[in-house]
Amino acid sequence: MSTAFRVLSWNIHDGKLRPGQKACLTTMLAGIRPDFVVIIEYNPPNRNSTAAQSANPACDTVLQSAGFGAPRIAVLSVSPSGKTRREVAVYARAGLALTPHAQPELAAAAGYQLFQTGIGDTPFLLAPILLHHKGEGPRLQRLLQTWESIGQPCVGIGDFNRDEARWANVPYLAGYYHGGWRPPAPQNIDLHGNVSACGGSDVFTWFGKNVQRRLDYALTTPNRSARIRDLYHVKGAIGSDHRPIVADFEIP
């Protein structure tokens, strides 16, 4: 029997969970019912400091009120100068384990924090992802190579900060792009969990002034027993320049 689980990922933008976002997040948790939640840019950019930041009480209160455990924090994005750090928080629904991977050297080699978790008797690794705009191909490649050395399913989700065509053209990543990044045509899901088909160009997850791009993705390794069954963009969320995404993963 296969194991299925759902992950919600949202870049809330500069660590500020605004009142409207709180209401959106509360509604999403009730309607979409994820097993794991990844909050990207959990705190404001931490400039000129190497210290981890304090908790985001607004996020923590919403998630814990919805039945999730305390967050696990990962510092995922450090600017080339080393002076700006961005953090990501990962939450698991109550009753699900979520711990840093027992082999920290693997995480160090990958350049990412890897979290050990599982559903029932099926263990897997979850990697929250936040990339810079440029020069992150090698780091993502190291993550995938690390996944290949781990004898269990691995999944990732987050903000890749580049559109799909750019990643598809990186030679090493092309196989992963075609094998693991692209589920069937993406769909929309609203705050209440109602699903509808995406139409035309309505597949973007980030928007700026007169521009829209798809920057947020889910990822699996194609040579491991995990796949993306469905991927959704959440419509109706406010307060950030990113739409949330929802991935339904399956491990046969």
Side-chain angles (χ1 to χ4, degrees), residues 70-93:
R72 295 289 184 174
I73 311 300
V75 178
L76 288 185
S77 183
V78 181
S79 66
S81 66
K83 294 183 177 180
T84 300
R85 299 156 61 87
R86 292 186 183 271
E87 296 179 349
V88 173
V90 184
Y91 303 80
R93 188 171 291 283

Side-chain angles (χ1 to χ4, degrees), residues 75-78 104-114 128 130-131 136 138-140 142-143 146:
V75 178
L76 288 185
S77 183
V78 181
E105 67 275 9
L106 290 178
Y112 289 87
Q113 178 66 64
L114 306 175
L130 174 59
L131 300 176
E136 290 280 43
R139 192 161 73 107
L140 184 56
R142 289 199 304 274
L143 173 67
T146 300

Side-chain angles (χ1 to χ4, degrees), residues 186-190 194-199 202-203 231-235 243:
Q187 304 176 81
N188 285 321
I189 192 168
D190 68 18
N194 301 309
V195 176
S196 60
C198 285
D202 188 23
V203 296
L231 182 65
Y232 310 94
H233 309 123
V234 182
K235 298 190 72 174
R243 283 176 166 178

Side-chain angles (χ1 to χ4, degrees), residues 33-80:
R33 301 186 60 81
D35 299 293
F36 303 92
V37 176
V38 175
I39 297 293
I40 299 171
E41 296 190 16
Y42 172 72
N43 273 314
N46 191 3
R47 297 185 173 88
N48 300 313
S49 174
T50 58
Q53 299 189 63
S54 60
N56 184 327
C59 275
D60 295 346
T61 298
V62 172
L63 269 294
Q64 291 172 14
S65 296
F68 287 80
R72 295 289 184 174
I73 311 300
V75 178
L76 288 185
S77 183
V78 181
S79 66

Side-chain angles (χ1 to χ4, degrees), residues 9-209:
S9 173
W10 192 13
N11 185 327
I12 62 172
H13 187 62
D14 282 346
K16 299 174 182 178
L17 194 68
R18 300 155 182 84
Q21 284 178 291
K22 292 181 184 178
C24 284
L25 185 54
T26 299
T27 303
M28 280 193 290
L29 295 174
I32 296 173
R33 301 186 60 81
D35 299 293
F36 303 92
V37 176
V38 175
I39 297 293
I40 299 171
E41 296 190 16
Y42 172 72
N43 273 314
N46 191 3
R47 297 185 173 88
N48 300 313
S49 174
T50 58
Q53 299 189 63
S54 60
N56 184 327
C59 275
D60 295 346
T61 298
V62 172
L63 269 294
Q64 291 172 14
S65 296
F68 287 80
R72 295 289 184 174
I73 311 300
V75 178
L76 288 185
S77 183
V78 181
S79 66
S81 66
K83 294 183 177 180
T84 300
R85 299 156 61 87
R86 292 186 183 271
E87 296 179 349
V88 173
V90 184
Y91 303 80
R93 188 171 291 283
L96 299 179
L98 185 67
T99 59
H101 192 264
Q103 295 175 273
E105 67 275 9
L106 290 178
Y112 289 87
Q113 178 66 64
L114 306 175
F115 292 100
Q116 182 71 61
T117 186
I119 301 286
D121 296 327
T122 305
F124 57 90
L125 289 182
L126 172 61
I129 293 175
L130 174 59
L131 300 176
H132 278 293
H133 296 278
K134 297 180 180 180
E136 290 280 43
R139 192 161 73 107
L140 184 56
Q141 177 175 319
R142 289 199 304 274
L143 173 67
L144 299 174
Q145 290 172 325
T146 300
W147 279 4
E148 290 177 345
S149 70
I150 298 174
Q152 59 178 295
C154 306
V155 302
I157 192 169
D159 177 4
F160 287 65
N161 253 319
R162 296 178 74 180
D163 59 38
E164 58 191 84
R166 291 174 181 251
W167 292 118
N169 290 331
V170 177
Y172 183 86
L173 303 179
Y176 288 89
Y177 172 80
H178 294 297
W181 291 26
R182 299 294 298 277
Q187 304 176 81
N188 285 321
I189 192 168
D190 68 18
L191 301 177
H192 302 280
N194 301 309
V195 176
S196 60
C198 285
S201 62
D202 188 23
V203 296
F204 68 91
T205 64
W206 172 86
F207 54 91
K209 186 176 181 180

